Amino acid sequence: MRQRRSEETVRRLLDTALTAFTEGDFTLRGVTTRSGVSVGSLYHHFGSFDGLAAALYTECMALLLDALIDALERTRTPRTGVRAIVRAYLAFAGTNPARARFIHAAPNTAGHAAAIAERKAPQIDRLVAWLRPHIAAGTVADLPIPLIEMLLIGPLAEVTRRWLAGVPGIDLAEAARVLPEPIWRSLQAGY
């Protein structure tokens, strides 16, 4: 019974934190007032307000990475893999704008970068494992993985940031249609 209540409190705090962030009141007071959970309980579960922010970021990022992995692992070639990643990333942003906004803002998470990286490492490892045979076969450029990530995810992150900011002319469906080829060419070996 106590563990279930604890899990419910954690869930309530995470959900409320996302709502508070979306409504422009991502503060300790904003979250505790909205959730009805005490500051002591928040600290008990997350260690600090920044710990709550890191947990929410980790959860949002895990959902995004799961969507990318699911899309990627259904493909065979690096070209179709790039297309799947582009579509999955932009679809995630379109259907989960609050979570995408939180990922791109990453408020109050700097002090938890190592823990966040550790939590997402298994998912990143799956993405990299999918890429490695294509790099070894010479179809994907043999670049350091962080550079591959920049070429693959960088354009998607920028489109998403601009779309979330309401920049005129940014259409996620159009981006999903036109970005796969240029992104693929940037990753193609010998390009």
Side-chain angles (χ1 to χ4, degrees), residues 35-60:
S35 68
V37 174
S38 70
V39 172
S41 184
L42 185 150
Y43 274 69
H44 168 74
H45 292 291
F46 297 101
S48 66
F49 184 71
D50 289 356
L52 170 63
L56 180 56
Y57 177 86
T58 299
E59 179 180 85
C60 293

Side-chain angles (χ1 to χ4, degrees), residues 82 151 177-187 191:
V82 167
L151 292 170
R177 191 178 70 255
V178 302
L179 285 177
E181 267 315 296
I183 292 173
W184 162 240
R185 283 194 306 270
S186 75
L187 292 168
Y191 182 69

Side-chain angles (χ1 to χ4, degrees), residues 72 74-84 130 134 139-140 184:
L72 183 64
R74 295 173 189 216
T75 67
R76 292 180 307 116
T77 70
R79 185 181 208 158
T80 58
V82 167
R83 185 179 313 124
W130 190 93
H134 300 292
T139 53
V140 173
W184 162 240

Side-chain angles (χ1 to χ4, degrees), residues 95-135:
T95 57
N96 300 282
R99 291 186 182 283
R101 191 177 311 277
F102 196 86
I103 289 169
H104 290 280
N108 303 76
T109 58
H112 296 270
I116 290 169
E118 182 180 323
R119 286 187 202 118
K120 69 181 187 179
Q123 291 166 302
I124 298 297
D125 290 346
R126 282 179 67 188
L127 292 169
V128 170
W130 190 93
L131 272 173
R132 287 212 188 279
H134 300 292
I135 294 168

Side-chain angles (χ1 to χ4, degrees), residues 1 20 33-34 43 55 96 111 116 133 143-144 150 153 159 179 183:
M1 179 74 164
T33 299
R34 280 177 174 80
Y43 274 69
N96 300 282
I116 290 169
L143 299 169
M150 287 176 208
I153 301 300
V159 165
L179 285 177
I183 292 173

